Amino acid sequence: MTSPEILRHTQATGDFTRMLESVPYARFIGLHCDRFGDDLIFRLPPKDQNLGNPILPAIHGGVIGGFMEVSAAIYLMMSQDTFRMPKIVDFSLDYLRAGLDRETFAECHLTRQGNRVANVMITAWQKSRSKPIATARAHFLLED
Amino acid sequence: MTDRLRMDRVSRFINTLNQARELGLTVSDASEEHLVLCLPYSEKIIGNPDTRVIHGGAITTLMDTTSGSVMICALPEFELCPTLDLRVDYMRPAEPDKPVYARAEVYRMTRHIIFTRCEAYQEEGETVAQCVGTFMRIGKESTPKAYRDLITGGAE
């Protein structure tokens, strides 16, 4: 995990496999990440174990939150050039639509980075980016 | 409704949620005013392998599930209430190898909205995270009767 080598490998190749393998929770929910130029798109393929509401069926709201949270942390690690998991301070999550049992995407945006704290916006969607299923805002503490 | 019945209803409900089963969530305590769920420690939900501290996402799921089930304890009949929003404050990392508990309560209930608060803590009593949430009441008729009966135990 504390291997700067994995970070360098990820930055050089754009292949997030090794990085995501090193975070058990990311493996647990089945997180993927792809790089397009400078942009990162996080992806959560459908997975039975991630479901909550069995009637719809829908992804558990907590998993959608966890997906957005871990995506924001990895996004920040990449933009910070550090391989330490940033410390999350708070997380504010709005659910806009049910997250159905299908592929889910997320992208992050660094709204503001100060010396000690970073503010990250996260948007998650499924079929269409113009119909987000959730938006979130997180503050992270940056360690020196 | 007795507290035993409340615990049974919540247990049956969280057992229908795959992710709650996957995390091993169990009911620790229930009354008309509150609900306590327990998240056992496990290696698979670690966020930082250096410290072995579990990821905030697992705590979010614990708190979302507890806050989203506490109304089962307060309402005579089961109704599914989708989450509108959650705000989680992480006070300190959860100590590894120990379970995390979440205690939720409803502090305001209206015809359409339920306001909850929830605290996550470990055995020593130190708060790990705090969460406030709002849930929407979509009415019991929005949930199929067969599913409602499964949770309430039919004739009970």
Side-chain angles (χ1 to χ4, degrees):
Chain A
M1 173 73 182
T2 32
S3 143
E5 193 251 321
I6 295 186
L7 183 71
R8 275 198 300 275
H9 167 85
T10 310
Q11 280 168 335
T13 61
D15 179 359
F16 281 75
T17 318
R18 283 178 63 190
M19 186 191 239
L20 297 173
E21 278 291 308
S22 69
V23 183
Y25 184 76
R27 258 193 338 252
F28 174 66
I29 59 172
L31 180 70
H32 289 262
C33 179
D34 299 297
R35 190 172 71 183
F36 300 91
D38 283 343
D39 294 341
L40 302 182
I41 301 284
F42 296 89
R43 187 163 56 85
L44 194 68
K47 189 177 178 188
D48 275 355
Q49 292 91 326
N50 285 347
L51 296 179
N53 181 333
I55 304 161
L56 284 175
I59 304 171
H60 194 299
V63 174
I64 296 173
F67 165 54
M68 294 168 87
E69 233 172 284
V70 73
S71 298
I74 289 168
Y75 165 84
L76 205 54
M77 266 198 295
M78 291 302 286
S79 65
Q80 292 282 309
D81 283 343
T82 156
F83 204 69
R84 249 204 254 126
M85 197 45 102
K87 255 194 201 154
I88 188 157
V89 179
D90 60 48
F91 188 66
S92 187
L93 179 60
D94 291 328
Y95 293 97
L96 307 172
R97 295 178 173 84
L100 300 175
D101 184 19
R102 57 167 73 120
E103 198 163 40
T104 310
F105 303 93
E107 66 177 347
C108 306
H109 175 74
L110 186 62
T111 311
R112 157 95 172 118
Q113 186 187 325
N115 288 331
R116 294 189 189 84
V117 173
N119 179 306
V120 183
M121 285 274 309
I122 312 109
T123 306
W125 71 93
Q126 293 191 320
K127 272 186 149 175
S128 164
R129 203 186 262 220
S130 61
K131 288 189 174 145
I133 60 160
T135 57
R137 201 165 44 80
H139 282 111
F140 288 93
L141 196 60
L142 308 168
E143 306 200 58
D144 356 87
Chain B
M1 186 160 50
T2 63
D3 291 347
R4 180 74 248 167
L5 189 57
R6 291 187 175 95
M7 285 180 75
D8 288 346
R9 284 187 179 188
V10 176
S11 294
R12 284 192 288 259
F13 174 63
I14 63 174
N15 269 317
T16 68
L17 313 175
N18 286 2
Q19 175 71 85
R21 275 206 314 273
E22 198 65 19
L23 289 172
L25 300 190
T26 52
V27 184
S28 296
D29 194 24
S31 75
E32 192 178 349
E33 287 80 32
H34 80 286
L35 170 68
V36 182
L37 298 188
C38 172
L39 166 71
Y41 182 80
S42 76
E43 305 269 329
K44 63 187 179 187
I45 54 171
I46 288 175
N48 183 341
D50 291 338
T51 58
R52 302 178 60 249
V53 169
I54 60 170
H55 193 270
I59 309 243
T60 301
T61 304
L62 168 69
M63 298 183 100
D64 180 32
T65 310
T66 312
S67 306
S69 307
V70 66
M71 55 288 274
I72 297 174
C73 301
L75 295 165
E77 290 193 77
F78 174 79
E79 49 180 88
L80 204 61
C81 302
T83 317
L84 278 179
D85 70 44
L86 289 177
R87 153 72 191 233
V88 185
D89 289 340
Y90 294 98
M91 328 293 283
R92 57 171 61 76
E95 241 185 273
D97 301 303
K98 291 176 181 170
V100 179
Y101 298 89
R103 183 186 195 282
E105 60 180 26
V106 173
Y107 68 96
R108 168 97 175 117
M109 191 182 298
T110 70
R111 255 185 314 151
H112 300 295
I113 305 286
I114 294 171
F115 298 86
T116 63
R117 42 177 169 236
C118 181
E119 182 192 8
Y121 57 93
Q122 291 186 292
E123 250 139 31
E124 295 67 27
E126 294 237 78
T127 304
V128 170
Q130 295 261 20
C131 166
V132 287
T134 49
F135 294 82
M136 200 164 48
R137 295 185 72 179
I138 51 174
K140 62 169 188 162
E141 302 302 333
S142 314
T143 307
K145 187 169 184 306
Y147 183 74
R148 292 193 327 253
D149 286 348
L150 174 78
I151 305 304
T152 53
E156 277 180 347

